[in-house]
Every structure is written in C-alpha cells, then in structure tokens.
Amino acid sequence: MVSHESSVRQYLDDLRGVLETDIEEARRLLSLGLDRIVLRRNEDGHLWAEVRGNLAGILQLDDEVLAGFGAGRGILPLSLRPRTARLVA
C-alpha cells in the first residue's frame, strides 16, 4: 500500500525533474495534477489565480476506485472531483 503523501511527493519530484528538460512530459504531468487555472483581476488590480487540483489524476485513480467504499448503508461515494484553492499574485 502506498500513502497519498508518498504518491504526491513522487509526482512533484518527477515534475521538478522534467520542467527544464522535457517540456512534453512536464505538460503531461501538469495535466494530470491540475484540472483548471482561471486568472482574474480584482477591483484593486491584484491578479488572482483560481487553481483546481486533481488528486485523482496525481494518484492515477479512476472515479470508480473509491466509489461505494464505507461501512454500513447510506455512505455516499467519495468524490474525487477537483477542489479549488485561491492564490494571490
């Protein structure tokens, strides 16, 4: 069994290793880890980046992998949909 932390760490190590040497591989890895990036300027001129990560892509999981796991009835499948984080530049 591999932990999420070690999988994410390996993903980031792989990404760092190819960012300056293999553009196509870097794009492929970024497409696995990032769902979407939206740039916006707010009213005071600051640029905001809305970044949606894709943990399922980094871990190379299908939506079905974790669906339906749980004890008892009424457990909803774990959502692997991307979550949003906001960054200020």
Side-chain angles (χ1 to χ4, degrees):
M1 180 178 215
V2 177
S3 73
H4 289 133
E5 180 181 355
S6 64
S7 295
V8 171
R9 188 178 310 273
Q10 183 63 52
Y11 167 81
L12 293 173
D13 288 344
D14 291 347
L15 181 58
R16 281 185 202 104
V18 297
L19 276 174
E20 293 186 18
T21 59
D22 187 344
I23 300 299
E24 290 306 313
E25 180 63 7
R27 283 185 179 139
R28 187 188 74 75
L29 288 172
L30 284 169
S31 72
L32 289 175
L34 299 174
D35 182 52
R36 182 175 77 165
I37 300 172
V38 177
L39 299 176
R40 294 190 179 108
R41 287 214 183 272
N42 64 8
E43 52 279 345
D44 65 359
H46 285 97
L47 184 63
W48 284 79
E50 181 180 292
V51 179
R52 290 184 177 229
N54 182 5
L55 183 59
I58 291 172
L59 299 177
Q60 299 179 5
L61 300 175
D62 298 353
D63 282 339
E64 294 82 31
V65 170
L66 298 176
F69 278 70
R73 295 179 184 212
I75 303 291
L76 298 175
L78 177 64
S79 174
L80 294 176
R81 290 194 318 235
R83 300 291 183 239
T84 301
R86 294 183 188 266
L87 305 173
V88 180

